Amino acid sequence: MNICVFCASSLRIDKKYIELAGHVGTELAKRGHTLVSGGATVSCMGAVGSAARAGGAHTIGVIPQVLVDIEVADEQSDELLVTSDMRERKGLMDARSDAFLVLPGGIGTLEELFEIWTARLLGIHDRPLVVLDPWGLYDPLRELMNHLYDEGFTRPETFDAVSWTTTVEEAFARLEARPHPVRPSVAELGESSG
């Protein structure tokens, strides 16, 4: 499988998050998968790519030209695809991926999570979407999603469209299992699109 890993590029985070990304890269390689990533050398992005390659995995990095210009591109990627902007980058990562794994991250990681999550809810794809969150960084997000549901802004399928995990092994087990499709009704599509 081509597994897209969304993760942090911040240099200010605790070392445990970078070690987690390295563990993910190692496990991905051990299971014979290909890594699709944001194509940078910094923080978690760099750690997952380096570890995947060290384990023998094929790595595909997708990075916008603006980041290449500031010299953070992962030139060691087996394939380094340079895009004109962030939107093209996300589209190419999506097109090259069979499944999505979200690690702890900031606003960019959240944007990627929400885009893939929304597309899955709308029936645009039925590929696995898994969040790996060993330390509860996303607990407030899960509380927010419950609140949105209570207020009528989301429907029950929202929760079925993503798997929340706390260990690397559990995350890969969910990635490798075919998820049930999430099929929104026509009436619900209008409710979810704003």
Side-chain angles (χ1 to χ4, degrees), residues 114 117 131 133 136-149 159 162-166:
F114 277 115
W117 194 349
V131 177
D133 187 19
L137 179 76
Y138 293 128
D139 285 353
L141 171 61
R142 296 179 75 179
E143 289 174 24
L144 173 62
M145 297 310 294
N146 285 327
H147 180 61
L148 291 174
Y149 175 75
F159 304 98
V162 61
S163 296
W164 300 89
T165 62
T166 58

Short mmCIF file of all heavy atoms in Angstrom, two decimals, residues 114 117 131 133 136-149 159 162-166:
data_model
loop_
_atom_site.label_atom_id
_atom_site.label_comp_id
_atom_site.label_asym_id
_atom_site.label_seq_id
_atom_site.Cartn_x
_atom_site.Cartn_y
_atom_site.Cartn_z
N PHE A 114 -8.84 17.21 8.07
CA PHE A 114 -10.22 17.59 7.77
C PHE A 114 -10.57 17.43 6.30
O PHE A 114 -11.70 17.06 5.95
CB PHE A 114 -10.50 19.02 8.24
CG PHE A 114 -10.83 19.10 9.70
CD1 PHE A 114 -9.99 19.76 10.58
CD2 PHE A 114 -11.97 18.50 10.20
CE1 PHE A 114 -10.30 19.83 11.93
CE2 PHE A 114 -12.30 18.56 11.54
CZ PHE A 114 -11.46 19.23 12.43
N TRP A 117 -11.00 13.67 5.74
CA TRP A 117 -12.17 13.25 6.52
C TRP A 117 -13.46 13.68 5.81
O TRP A 117 -14.38 12.89 5.64
CB TRP A 117 -12.06 13.88 7.90
CG TRP A 117 -12.95 13.34 8.99
CD1 TRP A 117 -14.01 12.47 8.86
CD2 TRP A 117 -12.85 13.65 10.38
NE1 TRP A 117 -14.58 12.24 10.09
CE2 TRP A 117 -13.88 12.94 11.05
CE3 TRP A 117 -12.00 14.46 11.13
CZ2 TRP A 117 -14.07 13.03 12.43
CZ3 TRP A 117 -12.19 14.54 12.51
CH2 TRP A 117 -13.21 13.84 13.15
N VAL A 131 -6.05 8.04 12.77
CA VAL A 131 -5.32 9.01 13.57
C VAL A 131 -4.57 8.23 14.65
O VAL A 131 -5.15 7.41 15.36
CB VAL A 131 -6.26 10.05 14.23
CG1 VAL A 131 -5.47 10.99 15.13
CG2 VAL A 131 -7.01 10.83 13.17
N ASP A 133 -2.67 8.81 18.04
CA ASP A 133 -2.57 9.86 19.06
C ASP A 133 -2.28 9.25 20.44
O ASP A 133 -3.16 9.18 21.30
CB ASP A 133 -3.89 10.64 19.08
CG ASP A 133 -3.84 11.86 19.99
OD1 ASP A 133 -2.75 12.32 20.33
OD2 ASP A 133 -4.94 12.34 20.37
N GLY A 136 -2.94 11.84 23.59
CA GLY A 136 -4.18 12.60 23.72
C GLY A 136 -4.13 14.03 23.24
O GLY A 136 -4.95 14.85 23.66
N LEU A 137 -3.22 14.35 22.33
CA LEU A 137 -3.15 15.71 21.80
C LEU A 137 -4.47 16.13 21.17
O LEU A 137 -4.90 17.28 21.29
CB LEU A 137 -2.03 15.81 20.75
CG LEU A 137 -1.87 17.19 20.10
CD1 LEU A 137 -1.18 18.16 21.06
CD2 LEU A 137 -1.09 17.09 18.80
N TYR A 138 -5.14 15.19 20.51
CA TYR A 138 -6.37 15.51 19.79
C TYR A 138 -7.63 15.32 20.64
O TYR A 138 -8.74 15.42 20.12
CB TYR A 138 -6.47 14.67 18.51
CG TYR A 138 -5.44 15.01 17.46
CD1 TYR A 138 -4.65 14.00 16.89
CD2 TYR A 138 -5.27 16.31 17.02
CE1 TYR A 138 -3.71 14.31 15.91
CE2 TYR A 138 -4.33 16.62 16.05
CZ TYR A 138 -3.56 15.61 15.49
OH TYR A 138 -2.64 15.91 14.52
N ASP A 139 -7.50 15.06 21.93
CA ASP A 139 -8.69 14.91 22.77
C ASP A 139 -9.62 16.12 22.69
O ASP A 139 -10.85 15.95 22.59
CB ASP A 139 -8.31 14.62 24.22
CG ASP A 139 -7.81 13.20 24.42
OD1 ASP A 139 -7.90 12.39 23.46
OD2 ASP A 139 -7.33 12.89 25.53
N PRO A 140 -9.10 17.36 22.73
CA PRO A 140 -10.01 18.50 22.60
C PRO A 140 -10.74 18.54 21.24
O PRO A 140 -11.89 18.97 21.17
CB PRO A 140 -9.09 19.72 22.75
CG PRO A 140 -7.93 19.21 23.55
CD PRO A 140 -7.74 17.79 23.08
N LEU A 141 -10.09 18.05 20.20
CA LEU A 141 -10.74 17.98 18.89
C LEU A 141 -11.89 16.99 18.93
O LEU A 141 -12.98 17.26 18.40
CB LEU A 141 -9.72 17.58 17.81
CG LEU A 141 -10.29 17.27 16.43
CD1 LEU A 141 -10.99 18.47 15.84
CD2 LEU A 141 -9.18 16.77 15.50
N ARG A 142 -11.68 15.86 19.56
CA ARG A 142 -12.73 14.85 19.66
C ARG A 142 -13.91 15.38 20.48
O ARG A 142 -15.06 15.14 20.17
CB ARG A 142 -12.17 13.57 20.25
CG ARG A 142 -11.12 12.94 19.32
CD ARG A 142 -10.53 11.69 19.89
NE ARG A 142 -11.47 10.60 19.78
CZ ARG A 142 -11.21 9.36 20.18
NH1 ARG A 142 -10.04 9.07 20.73
NH2 ARG A 142 -12.11 8.41 20.05
N GLU A 143 -13.59 16.14 21.52
CA GLU A 143 -14.65 16.77 22.32
C GLU A 143 -15.43 17.78 21.46
O GLU A 143 -16.66 17.85 21.54
CB GLU A 143 -14.05 17.47 23.53
CG GLU A 143 -13.54 16.52 24.59
CD GLU A 143 -12.81 17.25 25.72
OE1 GLU A 143 -13.07 18.44 25.95
OE2 GLU A 143 -11.98 16.59 26.38
N LEU A 144 -14.71 18.55 20.65
CA LEU A 144 -15.36 19.50 19.75
C LEU A 144 -16.28 18.77 18.78
O LEU A 144 -17.42 19.21 18.53
CB LEU A 144 -14.33 20.33 18.99
CG LEU A 144 -14.89 21.25 17.90
CD1 LEU A 144 -15.82 22.31 18.49
CD2 LEU A 144 -13.74 21.92 17.15
N MET A 145 -15.82 17.67 18.22
CA MET A 145 -16.65 16.92 17.27
C MET A 145 -17.91 16.39 17.95
O MET A 145 -19.00 16.40 17.36
CB MET A 145 -15.85 15.78 16.63
CG MET A 145 -14.65 16.24 15.80
SD MET A 145 -15.02 17.54 14.60
CE MET A 145 -16.09 16.65 13.48
N ASN A 146 -17.79 15.95 19.19
CA ASN A 146 -18.97 15.51 19.95
C ASN A 146 -19.93 16.67 20.16
O ASN A 146 -21.15 16.51 20.05
CB ASN A 146 -18.56 14.90 21.29
CG ASN A 146 -17.96 13.52 21.14
OD1 ASN A 146 -18.35 12.75 20.27
ND2 ASN A 146 -17.00 13.19 21.99
N HIS A 147 -19.38 17.84 20.47
CA HIS A 147 -20.22 19.03 20.67
C HIS A 147 -20.92 19.42 19.37
O HIS A 147 -22.11 19.75 19.38
CB HIS A 147 -19.36 20.18 21.19
CG HIS A 147 -20.12 21.45 21.44
ND1 HIS A 147 -21.16 21.54 22.33
CD2 HIS A 147 -20.00 22.68 20.89
CE1 HIS A 147 -21.66 22.77 22.33
NE2 HIS A 147 -20.96 23.48 21.45
N LEU A 148 -20.20 19.37 18.26
CA LEU A 148 -20.81 19.68 16.97
C LEU A 148 -21.95 18.70 16.66
O LEU A 148 -22.99 19.09 16.13
CB LEU A 148 -19.76 19.64 15.85
CG LEU A 148 -18.71 20.74 15.87
CD1 LEU A 148 -17.65 20.48 14.80
CD2 LEU A 148 -19.33 22.11 15.67
N TYR A 149 -21.74 17.45 17.02
CA TYR A 149 -22.80 16.45 16.82
C TYR A 149 -24.02 16.78 17.70
O TYR A 149 -25.16 16.79 17.23
CB TYR A 149 -22.28 15.04 17.14
CG TYR A 149 -23.36 14.00 17.07
CD1 TYR A 149 -23.84 13.56 15.85
CD2 TYR A 149 -23.91 13.47 18.24
CE1 TYR A 149 -24.85 12.62 15.77
CE2 TYR A 149 -24.93 12.53 18.18
CZ TYR A 149 -25.39 12.11 16.95
OH TYR A 149 -26.40 11.18 16.87
N PHE A 159 -18.25 10.00 12.83
CA PHE A 159 -17.39 9.25 13.75
C PHE A 159 -16.93 7.92 13.16
O PHE A 159 -15.90 7.39 13.54
CB PHE A 159 -18.12 9.05 15.08
CG PHE A 159 -18.57 10.34 15.71
CD1 PHE A 159 -19.87 10.78 15.55
CD2 PHE A 159 -17.67 11.14 16.39
CE1 PHE A 159 -20.28 11.99 16.09
CE2 PHE A 159 -18.08 12.36 16.94
CZ PHE A 159 -19.38 12.78 16.79
N VAL A 162 -13.41 7.86 10.57
CA VAL A 162 -12.03 7.95 11.02
C VAL A 162 -11.82 6.99 12.19
O VAL A 162 -12.72 6.78 13.00
CB VAL A 162 -11.67 9.41 11.44
CG1 VAL A 162 -12.55 9.90 12.57
CG2 VAL A 162 -10.20 9.56 11.80
N SER A 163 -10.64 6.37 12.23
CA SER A 163 -10.28 5.49 13.34
C SER A 163 -9.26 6.20 14.23
O SER A 163 -8.26 6.71 13.72
CB SER A 163 -9.66 4.19 12.82
OG SER A 163 -10.58 3.45 12.07
N TRP A 164 -9.52 6.21 15.53
CA TRP A 164 -8.61 6.82 16.50
C TRP A 164 -7.83 5.72 17.18
O TRP A 164 -8.42 4.78 17.72
CB TRP A 164 -9.39 7.63 17.52
CG TRP A 164 -10.19 8.74 16.90
CD1 TRP A 164 -11.47 8.67 16.42
CD2 TRP A 164 -9.74 10.08 16.64
NE1 TRP A 164 -11.84 9.88 15.88
CE2 TRP A 164 -10.82 10.76 16.02
CE3 TRP A 164 -8.55 10.76 16.90
CZ2 TRP A 164 -10.73 12.10 15.63
CZ3 TRP A 164 -8.47 12.09 16.52
CH2 TRP A 164 -9.54 12.75 15.89
N THR A 165 -6.50 5.81 17.16
CA THR A 165 -5.67 4.76 17.75
C THR A 165 -4.61 5.38 18.66
O THR A 165 -4.33 6.58 18.58
CB THR A 165 -4.97 3.93 16.65
OG1 THR A 165 -4.10 4.79 15.89
CG2 THR A 165 -5.99 3.30 15.70
N THR A 166 -4.02 4.53 19.50
CA THR A 166 -3.00 5.01 20.44
C THR A 166 -1.66 4.30 20.31
O THR A 166 -0.68 4.70 20.94
CB THR A 166 -3.49 4.88 21.89
OG1 THR A 166 -3.81 3.50 22.16
CG2 THR A 166 -4.71 5.76 22.14
#
